[in-house]
Amino acid sequence: MIDSLEFCRVNERREGRIAVADLPRLGADCVDSSGELAWSLQGGTGRLDFAQLTLAVSGTVQLMCQRCLTPFAHEIAAESVLMLAKDEERADEMDELLDDDTIDVIVASKTLNVPDLVEDEALLALPFSPKHEVCPDVTRLEVLKSKKRIAICRAKGAEAISCTDKESKNLIDRRHALMVEAVR
C-alpha cells in the first residue's frame, strides 16, 4: 500500500516481483498459476503538473490457445501512465483536459494497493482471444474440426456432407474413430 500523492510528490520508486498465484483474477485467466511478474512503479509529476505514476509490468503467463486448445507461454510487457486526481469530478475534468488516450486518470488514494494495480495492468495486457502464432499440433486441430463436422452431420440426420446413406455414415464413423485414436 502506498499514499499515491505522497509517492508522486517525493518522486519515489518501487519495484518487485509477484507470483501469478498471488493474483487471483489473473490466475483465473491462465492455464495455471505458475510464473511471476516483475513490476516497477515510479512517482512524479507529469503534464500540466499533475501527480503521475508510471507502471511497468513484465513476465510470462500460461494461456490456453483458442485454436488448438493447448497451453502456451504469453509474454507480458506493459507500461502505463496514470495521472492522479483528488476525486471523481476532478478525474473527469483532467481526462478531458489531457485529451490523451495513452494516459489514464485515476482517483488518488492514501492506501493504493500496488499488487492490485499490477494485476490490473497484466489483465489489460492479455489478448482478447489468446492463440499461438502457429499451433504446434495441426493433427489435433483437424480432429476437433472433424468432430464438429460429424456432430453437425449427425444432428442433421446424416443428411449433410454426403451422409445420405447408411454406408456413408458408417465410413464417417470409422474415419472419426481412426482420427480420435491417432490423437491419443
Side-chain angles (χ1 to χ4, degrees):
M1 298 279 187
I2 63 168
D3 177 334
S4 57
L5 288 175
E6 181 64 15
F7 190 86
C8 292
R9 188 185 70 74
V10 297
N11 294 320
E12 193 168 340
R13 178 179 175 79
R14 289 194 190 167
E15 54 189 50
R17 301 183 86 66
I18 188 164
V20 172
D22 294 333
L23 304 170
R25 294 177 295 140
L26 179 61
D29 282 355
C30 296
V31 173
D32 61 39
S33 57
S34 65
E36 66 179 12
L37 300 176
W39 60 271
S40 67
L41 186 64
Q42 176 67 53
T45 304
R47 288 183 26 201
L48 305 174
D49 289 330
F50 293 133
Q52 170 183 299
L53 294 171
T54 302
L55 174 66
V57 177
S58 63
T60 303
V61 295
Q62 296 296 315
L63 300 178
M64 183 66 72
C65 176
Q66 298 300 301
R67 265 193 303 247
C68 67
L69 302 176
T70 60
F72 72 101
H74 175 74
E75 289 293 322
I76 291 177
E79 185 171 309
S80 66
V81 175
L82 306 166
M83 295 291 193
L84 303 179
K86 293 185 181 182
D87 55 39
E88 283 292 334
E89 185 179 325
R90 185 72 176 134
D92 292 339
E93 291 171 8
M94 287 172 61
D95 202 24
E96 216 172 285
L97 184 63
L98 291 168
D99 192 32
D100 186 342
D101 291 337
T102 64
I103 298 174
D104 292 314
V105 180
I106 63 171
V107 176
S109 170
K110 288 195 177 287
T111 56
L112 184 64
N113 188 319
V114 176
D116 285 350
L117 206 56
V118 170
E119 185 174 29
D120 289 345
E121 190 65 24
L123 286 166
L124 290 170
L126 295 180
F128 179 71
S129 181
K131 297 178 192 135
H132 289 101
E133 292 217 11
V134 176
C135 292
D137 190 356
V138 178
T139 306
R140 180 175 167 84
L141 179 60
E142 289 304 314
V143 168
L144 291 172
K145 285 180 183 178
S146 177
K147 284 180 182 178
K148 184 175 180 180
R149 282 194 297 270
I150 290 167
I152 291 169
C153 178
R154 287 183 178 148
K156 291 184 175 183
E159 297 168 4
I161 59 171
S162 302
C163 297
T164 54
D165 60 13
K166 190 174 183 176
E167 186 177 306
S168 295
K169 186 175 181 310
N170 288 339
L171 179 63
I172 288 174
D173 286 341
R174 282 195 308 267
R175 251 181 95 195
H176 172 70
L178 287 172
M179 281 191 256
V180 168
E181 192 61 37
V183 170
R184 292 182 190 163

